[in-house]
């Protein structure tokens, strides 16, 4: 007898180890940094935008985004233990990467893009005056 499995039974699915949890924090850090850099680059030409105060708000937000991404990516191994993907270990290691990319894109989309009217100053896309729907007077 070479193995402990019986004949005809599928091999046991190997559970992810501690590397998955370390990888969650690292992928969240890369996603947070990448999403923030992408946001800063998109708003660089807009003096009234998200980076108007030398990126202080974005830099402070990075810690919160990293914690949220890390928690979400850390929950992924638990979900995959209950319902593993077909394709073996390679797919189980690529799933956190795909989730980190999706969370980074979600973060960037949530930060909006500047509104740049022709002949006018660039403004944030959010209404400056509540309940009017306008970005200025």
């Amino acid at each position: 007898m070479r193995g402990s499995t019986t004949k005809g039974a599928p091999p046991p699915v190997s559970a992810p180890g501690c590397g998955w949890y370390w990888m969650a924090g690292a992928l969240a850090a890369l996603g947070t940094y990448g999403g923030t850099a992408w946001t800063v680059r998109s708003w660089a030409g807009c003096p009234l935008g998200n980076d108007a105060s030398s990126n202080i708000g974005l830099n402070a937000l990075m810690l919160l985004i990293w914690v949220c991404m890390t928690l979400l990516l850390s929950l992924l191994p638990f979900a995959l233990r209950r319902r593993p993907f077909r394709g073996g270990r390679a797919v189980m290691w690529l799933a956190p990467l795909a989730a980190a990319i999706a969370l980074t894109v979600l973060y960037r989309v949530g930060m909006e893009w500047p509104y740049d009217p022709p002949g006018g100053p660039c403004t944030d896309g959010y209404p400056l005056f509540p309940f009017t729907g306008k970005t200025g007077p």
Side-chain angles (χ1 to χ4, degrees):
M1 292 186 105
R2 286 189 162 180
S4 62
T5 60
T6 61
K7 198 173 198 177
V13 176
S14 59
C18 292
W20 255 29
Y21 301 104
W22 287 104
M23 188 170 70
L27 286 175
L30 289 174
T32 301
Y33 178 77
T36 303
W38 190 7
T39 300
V40 168
R41 183 172 291 192
S42 296
W43 286 90
C46 185
L48 301 174
N50 284 333
D51 63 342
S53 60
S54 302
N55 301 328
I56 291 172
L58 287 176
N59 290 334
L61 183 67
M62 283 177 73
L63 179 63
L64 177 66
I65 297 297
W66 177 78
V67 168
C68 292
M69 271 193 189
T70 302
L71 289 175
L72 288 172
L73 290 173
S74 295
L75 292 176
L76 189 62
F78 294 117
L80 290 178
R81 283 184 184 175
R82 303 282 274 158
R83 291 187 170 258
F85 287 138
R86 291 185 179 145
R89 250 176 117 64
V91 173
M92 291 181 71
W93 280 95
L94 290 176
L97 179 63
I101 291 171
L103 288 172
T104 301
V105 169
L106 183 66
Y107 166 49
R108 176 59 195 103
V109 168
M111 294 304 288
E112 296 288 331
W113 276 266
Y115 176 68
D116 197 3
C122 174
T123 59
D124 201 345
Y126 302 108
L128 296 178
F129 298 99
F131 310 113
T132 63
K134 297 179 184 176
T135 56

